[in-house]
Amino acid sequence: MKLKSRLTFLVVIIMLALAMNGCSMQKLVVRSTGGILDGAFEALMMEGDLPLAQTAIESDLKLLEGLLQADPENKKLLLLAAQGFTSYALGFVEDQDTVRATALYLRASDYANRWVELTTGIDLLAIQSMDEFEATAKDLPDKAVPGVFWLANSWGSAIMLNIDDVSLVADLPNVEKLMAYVLDRDEAFYFAGAHLFYCGYYGALPRMFGGDLGKAKAHIDRQRELTGDGFLLADLFEVKFVALKQFDEERARELLTRICEYDVNQQPAIRLMNRVAQEKARWLEENLDLFL
């Protein structure tokens, strides 16, 4: 289905859902869109035109929120919203506006937390005690992996954008505990995203607070073992959190060249993510002197 046709159809679905009387009828209409949304997301991930993808994602996110108004406990929609807002902030916002990106990441974390609460009965963001949070995270069931991953991903991304904000950084240990859970239960989940997180985690922190470039590199190596060499965000993470931290200009330029010259059509299912990585790599390549 073409993007324009898909958007028009989903707008009609939302209007029908919101116009109908009775929660059960609204939910029935909304849940009938499940297969369409899955197909639309797959099509979007294959898009190679970044401006088109950005416009489509912006529209889709508001459509999702409209559907969630009619069916606020729809776990499929909650997970798509968590993933969508996180991906949008990473791909199109954080390099231009960290304040807005932080707000989007935190919105995504709220959707992910609602998914976890519906799945497990546990409101993770309401837990105040660090010891209680750690014990709760360890005991989460395997079925909670998707929501926990997107909660940790979005929450952690907000913190990493504001590493000087003590009020946010204080939550980083809790984020790490959630990713430790994902790593233990399903290390390959979403392109081995937990390993990407730990590359950034160990690479961004000062050594006195647990930073370890050796561990950062080991996690990115493991991510590649699990996913292969066609996921360009792994190369980008190595540049940002290993090579540049070691002031290894040769390795940084080698990886940036590989990213920029990679034919994204080799991996059509993740063409959009690879195009985002390329845009970020080109900016880094042009401004590498700022980091060395």
Side-chain angles (χ1 to χ4, degrees):
M1 184 181 293
K2 293 182 179 179
L3 283 175
K4 184 176 180 180
S5 299
R6 174 173 57 81
L7 292 175
T8 302
F9 182 80
L10 287 178
V11 167
V12 171
I13 289 292
I14 289 176
M15 292 176 65
L16 283 172
L18 296 179
M20 283 188 170
N21 294 321
C23 291
S24 59
M25 287 299 295
Q26 288 181 335
K27 291 178 181 179
L28 179 63
V29 172
V30 170
R31 290 176 185 179
S32 70
T33 69
I36 297 169
L37 288 169
D38 288 338
F41 186 79
E42 290 175 8
L44 188 55
M45 288 300 99
M46 296 178 70
E47 181 57 57
D49 185 311
L50 289 182
L52 176 60
Q54 181 176 356
T55 300
I57 292 173
E58 289 167 347
S59 299
D60 285 356
L61 290 176
K62 293 312 300 177
L63 289 169
L64 279 171
E65 290 192 317
L67 291 169
L68 279 166
Q69 284 188 7
D71 191 3
E73 296 187 351
N74 188 311
K75 290 170 58 179
K76 178 189 288 289
L77 297 180
L78 287 169
L79 204 60
L80 283 173
Q83 182 175 351
F85 276 104
T86 302
S87 301
Y88 176 68
L90 171 66
F92 302 104
V93 183
E94 70 172 24
D95 294 330
Q96 288 76 40
D97 188 341
T98 57
V99 173
R100 180 171 175 244
T102 299
L104 291 170
Y105 280 132
L106 293 177
R107 190 190 300 194
S109 69
D110 179 66
Y111 285 125
N113 187 62
R114 284 164 58 184
W115 185 96
V116 172
E117 186 174 8
L118 285 170
T119 302
T120 68
I122 299 168
D123 182 352
L124 288 168
L125 294 183
I127 299 174
Q128 300 297 316
S129 164
M130 194 170 293
D131 290 339
E132 181 185 352
F133 194 98
E134 180 176 12
T136 301
K138 286 182 179 178
D139 290 339
L140 288 168
D142 292 350
K143 64 182 179 180
V145 165
V148 171
F149 172 79
W150 287 109
L151 173 56
N153 192 324
S154 55
W155 194 4
S157 296
I159 292 171
M160 290 302 184
L161 277 184
N162 300 271
I163 205 69
D164 296 325
D165 186 335
V166 177
S167 64
L168 283 174
V169 174
D171 291 328
L172 189 56
N174 286 347
V175 174
E176 190 278 327
K177 291 176 179 63
L178 294 179
M179 274 302 186
Y181 155 86
V182 175
L183 200 66
D184 177 65
R185 304 303 177 88
D186 187 359
E187 66 169 332
F189 181 78
Y190 202 77
F191 307 100
H195 286 290
L196 285 179
F197 166 84
Y198 275 108
C199 174
Y201 176 81
Y202 287 118
L205 289 178
R207 181 173 291 276
M208 65 182 296
F209 293 117
D212 188 322
L213 297 182
K215 289 183 178 179
K217 182 61 165 62
H219 276 288
I220 213 65
D221 288 343
R222 178 58 179 159
Q223 192 277 341
R224 289 196 185 100
E225 287 179 12
L226 292 167
T227 65
D229 293 328
F231 189 72
L232 299 185
L233 282 175
D235 291 340
L236 190 67
F237 268 57
E238 183 178 342
V239 172
K240 293 176 65 175
F241 299 112
V242 182
L244 292 181
K245 298 293 184 179
Q246 295 174 330
F247 301 102
D248 187 344
E249 181 176 358
E250 181 179 356
R251 178 60 173 167
R253 291 195 182 279
E254 175 189 343
L255 288 168
L256 290 172
T257 298
R258 170 182 139 71
I259 295 170
C260 293
E261 294 182 352
Y262 185 84
D263 179 5
V264 296
N265 294 317
Q266 293 184 56
Q267 299 286 342
I270 55 171
R271 189 182 288 117
L272 176 57
M273 286 188 283
N274 281 341
R275 284 287 293 113
V276 167
Q278 286 183 329
E279 286 299 300
K280 290 175 177 288
R282 290 191 179 100
W283 185 90
L284 267 177
E285 195 171 42
E286 293 171 359
N287 297 275
L288 204 57
D289 291 345
L290 297 175
F291 303 92
L292 295 169

